[in-house]
Each structure stands twice: as structure tokens, then as C-alpha cells.
Amino acid sequence: MNALAIRRQWRLAIVAVLAVLLVLAPALLPTYPLSVLTEILIFTLFAMSLNILLGYAGLPSLGHSAFFGTGGYAVGLLAKYYGTPAALALVIAVVAGILVAIVTGPFVLRTHGAYFLILTLSLTQVLFGIVWLWRKVTGGDDGLPGIPSPRIPFLVGRISDTANFYYLTLIVVGIAVAAIAWIVRSPFGLALVGIRENERYLEGLGYPTWTLKYVAYILAGGFAALAGGLFAYFKGFVGPGQISWLLAGEGMVMVILGGAGTFWGPAIGALLVLLLRYEVSAFTQRWVMILGIVFILNVLLLPQGIVRLPQRIREIRARLRRETTLAPPLAEATAAAPDRSVERVIERS
Amino acid sequence: MRGTRRWFVKVAGVGIGSVLLASCGGGATPTPIAAPASSPVSGTTPTPAPSPTAQAATATPTRAASRRPFRVGVILTMTGSQASLGESQRNGMEYYLSTIDAAAGDWQIELVVEDSAGKPDQALTKAQKLVERDHVQALAGIILSSEAAALRDYVVEKKIPCIIGNAGLVALACDPAKKSEFIFNVAKLQGQAEAPLARYAVEKLGYKRMVLTAPDYTAGHNRANVFKNVFERAGGTVVDAVFPPQGTQDFGPYLQRILQQQADAVWAFYSGEDAVRFVQQYVEFGVRDRFPLIATGDTVDENILEQQGDAALGVLSVLHYSPLYESEANRRFVAEYRAKYGAVPNQFSYQGYLNARVIGEALQALGGQATFTTEAFLQALRAARFAGPVGEFRFEPESQFAIVHALLRRVERLPDGTLGNVVLEDLGTVTVSEVCPLL
């Protein structure tokens, strides 16, 4: 127990250092890396929202870009036709994402596994078709350019516009990530893990599993729409690429690469994928291949994600020393939380 | 004890993660202050920093030393479905630079090529990288109109001259609110090939009723619109317009619909793999026996002609370029390009050539000016005039788009056994301002 307490303190310290670094980033970085960092933050939120479904609830969704795009197009359309202020537009974007999830949830959640994947994929394709073909409203394949980027008013003139938008993103993403952290550590989040591990058992215990999954789906949709709205403001435009299933696939790569079902895994995945895309592509056209190789190696050697690297090293060392292998890592699937009653139940099962 | 070690290693993992995050910042901080082009005014910078993509800078060190570097950021689709366009465009640019040893006036031109992967958001990030980290003095390339749409505001805000090599975004040419003094286009606008072709179809070919077909996306609709407007104003009737989705594998249902019409001919615009399949299936379904096919040049582009084979024979098309255009400059361009890259230049290679050349000519015109100002460079671009492979090149002042020649071409088998677009006639020049009202 003492070790647990120390561990939590360490964790807090590291999160604090990270937060300070992120707050100081505009002073340390030139504008271009700062804008890449902004994008990393936005995709961190997107990947974390997908992680609620994919990692915690065990629902492999290939349609998560539907919410990202819904948020983006909500912001784009509001800016273009009504000139709505950013704060309100972002709220409406989140509501739009939640509405899409509320409407589509009952259809896609009837299924599991591969069927869930296909249904969510079709959902994205339907929305993609609408924005692609409804040229008059959505601009078709050219998208909606010229979305004015919002600024934090009292910082205007004191720091560059890039830094200003960075802080805006940091605040919004920070709040959202804190909310996700609270959700996944709550009894609700633990119940989701239970659903992932053994849904029928949980049902037998009296948990309303379908409702829990539905709520998770809606929450994930809302957070993804928030990320999509931020991204539309960040880039100043929204296009069909932001709703395409390819983006959902990229989100999946981020989550799995970093570590599905872990809290910080998706952030590390987003960081890695975007750095590969922007830094490596400057040196070679074969950056897509490098991403592929990294992904394959990752899945083969670190099937539970990069975030588990230290644990994996310890396991290998233990094996080399011919010790008995350590306790199975299942109990540590989620980040440390004092109350893991549901998990214990699952473990016993 | 074991538990203690476990948390320590875990903490170390998070630590590694945070180091990774920090090194993202570190890795992304290349000391731009030392970049040679950060102070374009100082002519004392010894040699330009070696850029992995600037293979074109082949000048001898002594020559390079006496010149100031002029960095051009080139955003192209080097991966993804549009990769061949990006490749041709870059070859065209590098070919031109090789003819002048990358030296123009007082400057040594350096290309920094970045991949957009066909994604507008990636194109924008790359533009930020090129401008804010590499400190390029101009942007070039840009293949897709969605990329141009995404870049427009950024380029104008940063006041970076941007010479578009392919993307024919209508708003940049026709919308007064979107036009900008910083944005030029050496390629063509959607409709610049279709307007003269439609006129020719009525006046010379005597077609009265036509069916139009193009892929179901903005450019396809825009082109079909221009064709329809010109064709109907000249007295013809468009009896049907068919828009299959992009990437259609089986054109059967669409060709059946065309077969049911009473028409004199069919106009088509397709590109890439779609064009290969469309032209082949057009013959296989027997549509060719009933309706002759006239097309926008992309449908029978040089890089897909061999794949289309005999099915393409006889297709009439209009485009601003053909490697078989008869001129001294073009013969030299084709021969040297072919020797360098092992392929005939197509319209994208030609646009790449123009893209680099117009920058070279403008720098040449600036001559030995002591200081580089964007204003003077823009002025020199506007005034640029030279005899290119296809006639005289210049920008139309109102739109800053190139004035292009509409070449009427027909696919024929050449004496050497390959297929080529033989130029039948130069239908004259077309400006963007003529096309805008037709869109």
C-alpha cells in the first residue's frame, strides 16, 4: 500500500511537470513546432475519445471520424452562414456530435466485434457521402475554407496568434482530458472495462450493460466532435477528409500504437503518428512505409502498446533471470485506481 | 519489494514518455536562426544548407558561393492516389533548374519539396513548416484544388508569393473576395479546355446534341457546366449529363444510360485510373460505334495512354499542352526531359517546368538588386513573359492565372509504335476571365 501511495505521488509529479512544460511551450518553441504541438493536442483528445470505446469498452469503432467530422462541419457551417462566436459554435459542435451518437447508437450497438466495426464504418461512409455530394451547402470535395480562427481576447497582441490558439486548445483539451480521466476512473469507467472483459458476467451481476455502452458511445461522440471542432478552427477549413473513415483508421492506429485501454497510451500514439507524418516525411517519401513498419513491430513486440514498454522490459528481464513470470498484467490494465472492485470481480471470474 | 520495482519502472516509462514529448519540441527546433534564407538580405551567407530534397542545386560551389539562396517551398502529392502528378510536376521543375544550373539573376534557386499526401490539412501544416521553419521566400506546386483552398488564407496572411503549379481552384480566379495579389497560377482553370472544345464541337464538328460525362466531384461538375454553357449558347443541346462516382470500376450502367440517348457525340472528362477504365469500357460496350468521343485532355493523358491502348485511338481532346506540339523549344524540352527521366513529359511536367521557369525569369528580371522585397518579386512575376514550349507565356493581369493555348489533339499511333496526342490545331488562347462567367 505504501508503494501504491508513492506511485501516485510520482504520477502526480510527472503530470505536473508535463503540464508546466505544455504551459511554457510557446516560450520555448518557434511557431511551426508549436502548431504541430497544437495538432498533437487535438488528436490526443480524438484518440482518447476513441479509446473510451476501443480501449475501455472494447468496441472497435471504425466510424469515429463521423463525430470528428460532424464537429468540424458544425463549426464550419456555423462560421460560414451565421458567423457564430467560437465558444458557442464549439458547444453546438459537441451537441451535434452527441446527437449523432444518440441517433446512431441504437443501431450500431446491437452488434459486437467485426459487425460493430462494419456498421460504424458504414455510418461514416453515409455522412461522407452527404458532405461530398451536397455541394451547395458543404462545398463538396473542396470543403468549407476560411473559418476564422478564434483567439483568447486578453492575450491578443501579447503573444503570437499561433501561441494564442495553442493556449485555447490547451485549455479546452486539458478540461476534456481531465473529464475523460474522471470518467474512466469512475465506477462507470470500471464497468466499461468489465464489459470488455466479460459482458455476460457483468450482465449477470445486474449491470445494465447495453445502457452503459450507449452512454460510453455518446460520451465518446461528444469528445470527438469537440476535437473535430477545434481542428476545423485550427486549420481554418473543414473538408471531407475530416469525416473519411481513413481518419478513423488513423485514430485506431494511434490508440493501438500507444496502448488501447490505458489512459496515456492514445496521447503517445498521437504524438508518434503525427511526428512521423510531419518530421519523417520531410526526409523521405517513404514515411508511410516507416509508419507501417513501426506499427507491425509494435504489434508484434509490444502488443499492448508503447505505454507498456517498461512492463514488457521487466517481463523479459524476469524471464532471463529465470524467475517465475510476474503476475499477469491484467490487473494493471487500467491506470492505478484505489477502487477496482469491478476488475477484481472480473479477475475472479 | 517487487511492487516497488514495478512502480519505479512504470514511472520510468512515463518519464520516457515525457522525454519523448519534450524531444518532440526539441526535435522540432532546428535552430531556424542559422538557416541561410532567414535573412535573405545578407548576401554573405557562404553556402546554402544542404537540403535533402534539393537535388536540383547542382551548381558548382564557387558559383553557389557568389549567389544568394532563394528557397522555394514546393508542396506536392508525393504519396497517395495523386502521387504520379506530384512526381511529374517535380521532375518538370527540376528539369528547368538543371538547364540554368539553378542560377537566376543574383540567386541560387533551392527547392524544398514537401509531401501533402493529397490531404488539405497536411498541405497546410507543410506550408507552415516551409514558411516558419525553412523560411522559404515563395511557395510553389500544389496539386489539388482542396489543398489550394486550405492554403489560401495562410498564404495571404503571411504575404508569401505562391505560384500554383496545378490546382485550378475557381474561387481564386473568379471570386473577387478570394483573389489575391500573392497568388499566381501557371496551370489552367477548370473550363479553360472545355470552352474552346465546346465551341469547336458546334462550329467545326457540327454536333447538335451531346451527352456529357464526368466524375461526381466539384471539378467534374464545373467542367461539364462550362461545356454545357458554351455548347448551348452556340446553338447545341446537352441531352444528358452522367456523373459516376470517383473510382467507378464498372461504367456499364452509366454507358447503358448514354446508349439510350439520341445524340451526335459524347464529351468526357476523367483522369488517372478512372480515365483508363472509362476509355476502355467505352469501346467494349460498343458506345464508340454510335457516338464519337471528345474529351478534356486529362482523359487521354500521356501517362495513361499506353494502358488505354487502342481504345484511345482517335479520341479528340483539348489541352494546353502536348509533347508533340511543334516548336523548337518543345522539341528540346521533350528530348532532354525524356533523356533525364525516361518518360515523355505530360501536362504536369510541363506545368512544373513553367512553375520553376516563371520563378527563374522573375528573379532574372530582379537582377542584382541589393535587397529582396516581396513587392518587387511579385511585380517581376506579373511582368514575366517568355517563349515557352507552347507559345508565349504570360499571366493575365486581372486573375494572375496563365493565359493558355487550347491545343486540339487526336490520339494516334506514332511511327515508333507508341501512342501520342498529335496536335491538329491551335484553337487560340483562353483567359480565365473569359471562363469565369461560364462556371
Side-chain angles (χ1 to χ4, degrees), chain A residues 114-170:
Chain A
Y115 301 99
F116 181 80
L117 198 111
I118 293 297
L119 270 187
T120 48
L121 174 65
S122 340
L123 159 70
T124 326
Q125 288 299 85
V126 168
L127 289 179
F128 182 84
I130 291 172
V131 299
W132 184 274
L133 295 175
W134 201 5
R135 209 164 284 109
K136 282 205 177 64
V137 174
T138 61
D141 49 316
D142 281 347
L144 297 170
I147 302 170
S149 181
R151 307 268 175 251
I152 302 173
F154 68 90
L155 287 175
V156 169
R158 298 182 195 194
I159 50 175
S160 69
D161 284 355
T162 316
N164 195 319
F165 190 78
Y166 169 79
Y167 278 125
L168 185 73
T169 310
L170 190 62

Side-chain angles (χ1 to χ4, degrees), chain A residues 233-310:
Chain A
Y233 276 127
F234 173 54
K235 292 288 179 179
F237 85 106
V238 57
Q242 275 141 269
I243 209 162
S244 129
W245 71 274
L246 291 170
L247 184 87
E250 208 168 73
M252 225 176 189
V253 169
M254 289 172 183
V255 172
I256 297 173
L257 205 60
T262 61
F263 186 73
W264 291 110
I268 291 173
L271 173 77
L272 200 70
V273 169
L274 290 177
L275 283 187
L276 271 170
R277 188 203 285 172
Y278 292 129
E279 296 306 314
V280 180
S281 71
F283 298 102
T284 168
Q285 285 170 38
R286 307 272 174 259
W287 62 273
V288 187
M289 196 176 80
I290 293 176
L291 176 61
I293 292 173
V294 168
F295 191 59
I296 292 170
L297 287 179
N298 186 51
V299 169
L300 285 178
L301 303 176
L302 282 169
Q304 287 166 320
I306 290 172
V307 92
R308 303 268 172 77
L309 184 64

Side-chain angles (χ1 to χ4, degrees), chain B residues 27-39:
Chain B
T29 324
T31 61
I33 317 100
S38 63
S39 51

